[in-house]
Every structure is written in C-alpha cells, then in structure tokens.
C-alpha cells in the first residue's frame, strides 16, 4: 500500500476500503489530494464533468440556491463520504467546504473505469448512495414531524456519530461545522430558536458548550432520547 493510503484516516471506512492493496494503489495513482478552505467550492451546480471525491477530513455541505438567491442546505458530507454524480452530465448542486477539508479527488472517467474493473467498489458506492438517500429522507421526516428541540438534538447526535472513530459509541468532544445560521437553514428554524434550544439541551445536561463551536457530550443517552435517534450499536 502506498504511503498516502497507508496513513489515510478513512482507509478503513471509505468506499475504497473494499479493495485489495494492489487495487487501492492503482486507484490512488489516478487520484490527487486537494485541500479546501472554509467557504471554498469543490464544484458548482451546472459544472460539466465535475470531479468525484472521497472526503478525508473536514466537512462539506451540499446546497442549492433558489431564484431569490437564498441558499438551502440539502445534505452534509462527513469524513469517508463520497461526493460526485457518476451518471449525470453535470453537477446538480453546489458542494462547499464548511471547514478546512482534505479530499482525495478523481476524474469521473477514472472512477467509471474503476467501477468496471472492481465490482466490489461498485457495490460499496451503491451501498453508500443508499445510506445517503436514507439520511436525506430522515432529514425530511425530521423537519416535517419533529419539534425544534428534537431536530437540533438529532443534528448534534449525527455530528457526534460522524466525529467518532468507532461505530460503538459517539465522540465525546467535537466541533460543530455549521454556524447557527446554517443550522437554522438546514433545520427550518430561526437563529433565535437554535440558540435557545441549544441552551436548553445544555441545561438539561446532555451537552456542554466549549468556546464558539465546541461540544462536549455529557450524557449520550439523554441526547439520544431527545433526538429520537437510535443508540450506537456495539
């Protein structure tokens, strides 16, 4: 395994984890590493032949701009997530870095060739696409049926899941990649409601805020109960 893959923090969780060392080395040879600063765009809606990428570290948002120029955040991408529309002639949405983010990027043609060569990779990407679809449906259901506290608790819970290095438990400390305005945008709330409910979740004893965006998880079971999310499985 080449050095870049060997030291990659998502080597065991990204879609390419299903490949053999030789297959992964061959795929890595076709890719390149790219670092985005917060607010920098990976690709924009309408871009032709937009690159595909695996997020190595950081966080990205997938968003759309309406006719009045208002942004709507549609989804988040966490480390090991795959970004790219393999079967569309152009990108349908903007993909923007929420924090400094490192990616392993590939030309669409190279990924398509890899899918033909490695059926296990095709299955892994299909599985990941299904997980992304379920996450999007979950967000729609949450915003349609849950109250403000449950929406915010669920989002914090999902950030704790994404920040954890284990599927058995949530991360004990992490940074929120979204501003309060972005959280409000994503959850269909006002900034004032986000601030108030964040304080209430802290007062309940589920979390402790540290600095501007830091979160320490004090009572994972309570956060899970407030969110309605299922507990992490061992």
């Amino acid at each position: 395994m080449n050095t870049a893959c060997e030291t990659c923090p998502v080597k065991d969780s990204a879609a390419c984890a299903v490949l053999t060392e030789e297959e992964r080395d061959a795929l890595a040879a076709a890719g390149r590493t790219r670092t985005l600063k917060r607010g920098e765009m990976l690709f924009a809606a309408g871009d032709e032949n937009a690159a595909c990428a695996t997020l190595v570290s950081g966080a990205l948002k997938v968003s759309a701009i309406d006719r009045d120029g208002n942004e709507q955040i549609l989804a988040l991408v966490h480390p090991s997530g795959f970004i790219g529309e393999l079967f569309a002639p152009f990108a349908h949405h903007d993909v923007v870095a929420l924090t400094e983010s490192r990616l392993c990027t590939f030309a669409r043609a190279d990924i398509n060739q890899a899918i033909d060569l490695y059926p296990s990779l095709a299955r892994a990407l299909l599985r990941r696409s299904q997980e992304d679809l379920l996450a999007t449906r979950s967000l729609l259901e949450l915003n349609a049926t849950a109250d403000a506290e449950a929406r915010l608790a669920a989002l914090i819970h999902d950030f704790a899941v994404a920040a954890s290095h284990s599927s058995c438990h949530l991360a004990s400390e992490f940074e929120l990649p979204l501003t309060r305005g972005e959280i409000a945008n994503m959850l269909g709330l006002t900034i004032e409601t986000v601030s108030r409910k964040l304080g209430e979740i802290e007062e309940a004893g589920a979390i402790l805020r540290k600095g501007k965006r830091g979160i320490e998880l004090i009572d994972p079971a309570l956060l899970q109960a407030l969110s309605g999310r299922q507990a992490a499985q061992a």
Side-chain angles (χ1 to χ4, degrees):
M1 184 182 299
N2 67 40
T3 303
C5 289
E6 188 173 359
T7 59
C8 177
V10 298
K11 66 179 180 180
D12 296 322
S13 55
C16 58
V18 300
L19 300 175
T20 66
E21 286 190 15
E22 292 78 9
E23 291 169 345
R24 192 182 295 192
D25 286 346
L27 180 62
R32 68 183 185 91
T33 300
R34 181 178 176 186
T35 299
L36 300 178
K37 296 180 180 178
R38 173 174 170 79
E40 190 174 353
M41 188 172 291
L42 177 62
F43 48 76
D47 283 357
E48 296 183 1
N49 296 315
C52 300
T54 292
L55 182 61
V56 176
S57 63
L60 307 172
K61 65 179 176 181
V62 180
S63 61
I65 306 297
D66 67 20
R67 65 182 63 186
D68 296 321
N70 300 310
E71 180 187 52
Q72 177 61 52
I73 299 175
L74 305 173
L76 302 178
V77 182
H78 300 291
S80 81
F82 182 81
I83 314 101
E85 299 181 53
L86 294 175
F87 306 109
F90 56 85
H92 286 81
H93 303 105
D94 298 339
V95 177
V96 180
L98 287 167
T99 64
E100 183 172 292
S101 301
R102 188 159 60 94
L103 306 102
C104 189
T105 65
F106 303 89
R108 185 185 299 177
D110 291 328
I111 287 293
N112 283 329
Q113 183 179 38
I115 287 173
D116 291 337
L117 290 173
Y118 313 128
S120 61
L121 178 63
R123 289 191 295 272
L125 290 174
L126 179 61
R127 186 181 308 112
R128 195 166 292 271
S129 295
Q130 178 175 292
E131 292 170 353
D132 291 344
L133 177 60
L134 290 174
T136 299
R137 288 175 174 172
S138 177
L139 178 62
L140 289 171
E141 180 182 13
L142 185 75
N143 286 350
T145 63
D147 61 24
E149 182 176 79
R151 295 185 211 178
L152 184 55
L155 187 63
I156 295 171
H157 178 278
D158 290 350
F159 285 143
V161 170
S164 176
H165 297 295
S166 169
S167 60
C168 301
H169 57 77
L170 306 179
S172 59
E173 291 191 29
F174 54 94
E175 293 281 322
L176 293 174
L178 297 173
T179 65
R180 293 187 188 187
E182 289 168 330
I183 291 173
N185 176 299
M186 190 168 186
L187 298 181
L189 304 171
T190 64
I191 296 176
E192 292 76 12
T193 298
V194 170
S195 297
R196 184 175 69 254
K197 291 300 178 181
L198 192 59
E200 291 176 4
I201 293 171
E202 182 176 32
E203 290 173 4
I207 63 171
L208 177 66
R209 288 179 287 179
K210 304 180 75 173
K212 188 175 181 180
R213 296 194 191 182
I215 296 290
E216 181 180 352
L217 195 54
I218 303 299
D219 190 336
L222 177 56
L223 181 66
Q224 184 257 328
L226 292 173
S227 71
R229 294 293 201 227
Q230 294 184 357
Q233 299 295 314

